Amino acid sequence: GEDVEQSLFLSVREGDSSVINCTYTDSSSTYLYWYKQEPGAGLQLLTYIFSNMDMKQDQRLTVLLNKKDKHLSLRIADTQTGDSAIYFCAAVKAAGNKLTFGGGTRVLVKP
Amino acid sequence: DVKVTQSSRYLVKRTGEKVFLECVQDMDHENMFWYRQDPGLGLRLIYFSYDVKMKEKGDIPEGYSVSREKKERFSLILESASTNQTSMYLCASSLTQSTGELFFGEGSRLTVL
């Protein structure tokens, strides 16, 4: 089955860019997602990318997809303290929507 | 806005007790899911349902069951709670089956003593 891997922790200074990385194993994954979980809350969808795209930009967020290496990244420009959260990468195949989540990357933004 | 409500934010139960975790969504979504979240392991799917009275096992169904008697409500049941079921439980719903856009509740943190 699908396996999704992320690094556990990222520390970044306020105003810098953050880059969160994710790798997945199933090349037939059609949609790849980034979810954000703030302290004490459930997950909320940040952005997603379809597998036939290389890049998607949405305000401060840039998603890059390298299908050959099965590597996904999320770049947050001008990182703010409110960006401190756990970020989850997730992948889904075309049939049904059973998402496979990575372990989550805890991002700590230092002033 | 879609709202997914989990009735209990924090529960403390004893080993062997029966535990009910309730989840209600208000957007007429067909699909509902129960995940458990453990540090470093991400979210793991316990059970899901694509329709009323329908249920499918996820990746870690052992020790759990579910009930979906009404479209808006999806309950997770621990028949006999054990300490290794201490975790954060997240309910989610989605409109379609073809994508992974899920709407999550705030979670229920269960401690089994």
Side-chain angles (χ1 to χ4, degrees), chain B residues 91-103:
Chain B
C91 176
S93 71
S94 73
L95 181 61
T96 71
Q97 291 192 31
S98 60
T99 70
E101 186 175 358
L102 303 184
F103 295 85

Side-chain angles (χ1 to χ4, degrees), chain A residues 17-34:
Chain A
S17 291
S18 313
V19 179
I20 307 165
N21 294 301
C22 170
T23 57
Y24 59 98
T25 56
D26 192 335
S27 57
S28 65
S29 294
T30 52
Y31 285 92
L32 296 133
Y33 296 82
W34 285 103

Side-chain angles (χ1 to χ4, degrees), chain A residues 8 30-31 33 35 37 40-45 48 86 88 92-99 101-104, chain B residues 9 31 33 35 37 40-43 45 48 50 57-59 90 94 96-102 104-106:
Chain A
L8 284 179
T30 52
Y31 285 92
Y33 296 82
Y35 280 83
Q37 185 181 35
L43 280 69
Q44 61 180 109
L45 179 65
Y48 67 92
I86 303 175
F88 291 92
V92 67
K93 292 185 185 181
N97 60 345
K98 280 182 60 178
L99 276 177
F101 285 86
Chain B
R9 293 295 307 274
N31 313 313
F33 306 82
Y35 289 89
Q37 180 182 5
L41 296 178
L43 275 69
L45 183 62
F48 60 102
Y50 288 153
K57 292 180 180 179
D59 300 318
L90 292 168
S94 73
T96 71
Q97 291 192 31
S98 60
T99 70
E101 186 175 358
L102 303 184
F104 281 85
E106 292 186 319

